[in-house]
């Protein structure tokens, strides 16, 4: 495929995955479908002729596509979608820790591992890390984070029964979407736009925990550090971070992940990245992280910050 034919397909990947095999039950598998079928389906969504299912999402997506982009998408997913190296997607490159901002120290490095052992605020690492799973969609960082944090409370919080894991209770990136949370923002809405910090707080109130949302522009650096340290010191509390990862030197923008530890000597915080396909967990200097939390979320027109999650 010629360079001038590359295009961005973040929204397609969010639902259908990089190989066209979706991981959510009601999202159709498009891998292996004929190119003609996919071409006609996208045009039908674009014109509004196709309805039902997730048509409201697909119509909004298809309306933004040109005829040439529809041809490219149909050709990619309908022919050799399993060959990611040939994908016409410019951003689909796994980020290497060595190529990221050198102000960050990754957990996979000797220094990164040493900081965990040296930290006096590391208990959440051992509690939360075992439950961290990568986001299923590119917009599901908040959903994956909530699932990990809630599971980390173990028997202190009643987990829902997931049919796929019956009879074992477990929070998943599907059952976070209970009826009450669907009233805050629908599954399709989160797939399209993700969640703001306020919406994360609203979701958590419907999951049998007591959240406190803290917007960074309401506090200075020292106060935000103090709030993180207090939470990391309390066994009944977990810390969810909402920040702009681009400001800390990584690829991307608004993001959500758990905070798992604080290292005193380096004044850095360990972020357990739920986009593990891009980056491993990283120690981020607190002044830099504060700057990333001050970033204004365009969806809410407010700064980012923290959600402190407490069991009742």
């Amino acid at each position: 495929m010629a360079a001038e034919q590359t295009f961005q397909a973040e929204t397609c990947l969010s639902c259908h995955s990089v190989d066209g095999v979706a991981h959510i039950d009601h999202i159709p598998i498009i891998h292996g479908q004929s190119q003609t079928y996919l071409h006609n389906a996208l045009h039908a969504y674009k014109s509004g002729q196709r309805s039902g299912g997730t048509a409201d999402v697909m119509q909004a997506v298809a309306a933004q596509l040109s005829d040439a982009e529809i041809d490219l998408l149909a050709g990619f997913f309908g022919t050799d979608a399993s060959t990611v190296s040939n994908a016409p997607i410019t951003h689909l490159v796994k980020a290497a820790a060595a190529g990221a901002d050198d102000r960050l120290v990754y957990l996979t490095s000797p220094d990164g591992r040493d900081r965990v052992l040296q930290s006096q605020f590391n208990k959440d690492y051992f509690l939360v890390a075992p439950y961290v799973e990568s986001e299923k969609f590119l917009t599901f960082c908040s959903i994956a984070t909530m699932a990990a944090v809630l599971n980390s409370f173990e028997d202190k919080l009643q987990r829902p029964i997931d049919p796929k894991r019956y009879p074992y209770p477990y929070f998943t990136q599907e059952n976070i979407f209970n009826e009450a949370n669907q009233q805050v923002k629908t599954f399709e809405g989160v797939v399209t736009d993700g969640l703001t910090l306020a919406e994360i707080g609203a979701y958590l109130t419907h999951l049998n925990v007591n959240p406190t949302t803290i917007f960074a522009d309401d506090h200075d650096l020292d106060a935000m550090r103090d709030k993180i340290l207090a939470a990391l010191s309390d066994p009944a509390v977990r810390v969810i971070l909402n920040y702009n990862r681009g400001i800390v030197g990584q690829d991307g923008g608004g993001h959500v992940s758990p905070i798992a530890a604080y290292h005193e000597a380096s004044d850095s915080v360990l972020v357990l990245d739920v986009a593990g396909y891009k980056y491993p967990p990283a120690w981020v200097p607190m002044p830099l992280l504060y700057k990333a939390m001050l970033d204004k979320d365009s969806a809410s027109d407010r700064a980012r910050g923290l959600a402190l999650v407490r069991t009742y």
Side-chain angles (χ1 to χ4, degrees), residues 3-276:
E4 62 270 15
Q5 291 180 302
T6 60
F7 61 96
Q8 297 296 321
E10 289 93 337
T11 306
C12 301
L13 299 181
S14 293
C15 289
H16 297 288
S17 188
V18 295
D19 58 359
V21 180
H23 301 291
I24 300 294
D25 291 342
H26 73 278
I27 302 296
I29 294 174
I30 58 177
H31 173 68
Q33 295 281 7
S34 74
Q35 182 173 342
T36 300
Y37 167 80
L38 294 175
H39 177 274
N40 292 339
L42 284 170
H43 276 289
Y45 282 126
K46 183 175 181 178
S47 66
Q49 294 176 344
R50 184 163 179 171
S51 60
T54 57
D56 54 341
V57 175
M58 284 303 304
Q59 287 172 2
V61 172
Q64 302 176 48
L65 298 173
S66 67
D67 290 348
E69 288 171 331
I70 288 177
D71 290 341
L72 288 171
L73 282 168
F76 168 61
F77 284 110
T79 54
D80 195 16
S82 63
T83 307
V84 176
S85 62
N86 292 333
I89 302 162
T90 58
H91 75 286
L92 191 61
V93 179
K94 181 176 175 62
D101 194 303
D102 60 9
R103 291 171 292 182
L104 307 186
V105 173
Y106 285 87
L107 187 61
T108 48
S109 70
D111 187 14
R113 295 190 293 271
D114 287 345
R115 289 189 186 188
V116 174
L117 300 178
Q118 295 163 2
S119 171
Q120 300 299 307
F121 301 88
N122 62 6
K123 68 169 182 62
D124 278 14
Y125 171 73
F126 299 101
L127 296 172
V128 179
Y131 295 105
V132 172
E133 299 177 1
S134 284
E135 57 188 359
K136 289 195 172 182
F137 299 153
L138 297 180
T139 53
F140 263 38
C141 52
S142 57
I143 303 301
T145 297
M146 284 189 278
V149 162
L150 295 174
N151 282 321
S152 76
F153 287 117
E154 298 185 336
D155 59 358
K156 298 179 182 64
L157 179 65
Q158 183 176 357
R159 298 172 176 174
I161 297 292
D162 176 47
K164 294 180 181 178
R165 295 173 173 85
Y166 180 85
Y168 305 104
Y170 201 69
F171 284 99
T172 71
Q173 293 178 51
E174 291 82 26
N175 62 30
I176 292 291
F177 291 93
N178 59 30
E179 184 176 351
N181 281 337
Q182 291 270 19
Q183 297 300 313
V184 176
K185 181 176 273 189
T186 64
F187 177 94
E188 290 78 10
V190 179
V191 168
T192 304
D193 299 321
L195 292 174
T196 66
L197 181 56
E199 288 169 338
I200 291 170
Y203 259 55
L204 288 166
T205 61
H206 301 139
L207 295 166
N208 299 319
V209 289
N210 183 19
T212 301
T213 52
I214 301 172
F215 293 89
D217 57 357
D218 289 336
H219 306 276
D220 62 18
L221 168 61
D222 290 338
M224 290 298 283
R225 182 192 294 107
D226 288 345
K227 291 181 181 298
I228 290 173
L229 295 185
L232 291 174
S233 301
D234 189 335
V237 178
R238 304 289 185 267
V239 187
I240 291 176
L241 168 69
N242 177 213
Y243 67 117
N244 185 326
R245 70 185 310 151
I247 291 175
V248 305
Q250 295 180 326
D251 179 54
H255 193 50
V256 177
S257 284
I259 286 178
Y262 172 78
H263 185 250
E264 303 92 320
S266 62
D267 189 25
S268 61
V269 167
L270 180 59
V271 179
L272 296 181
D273 203 326
V274 295

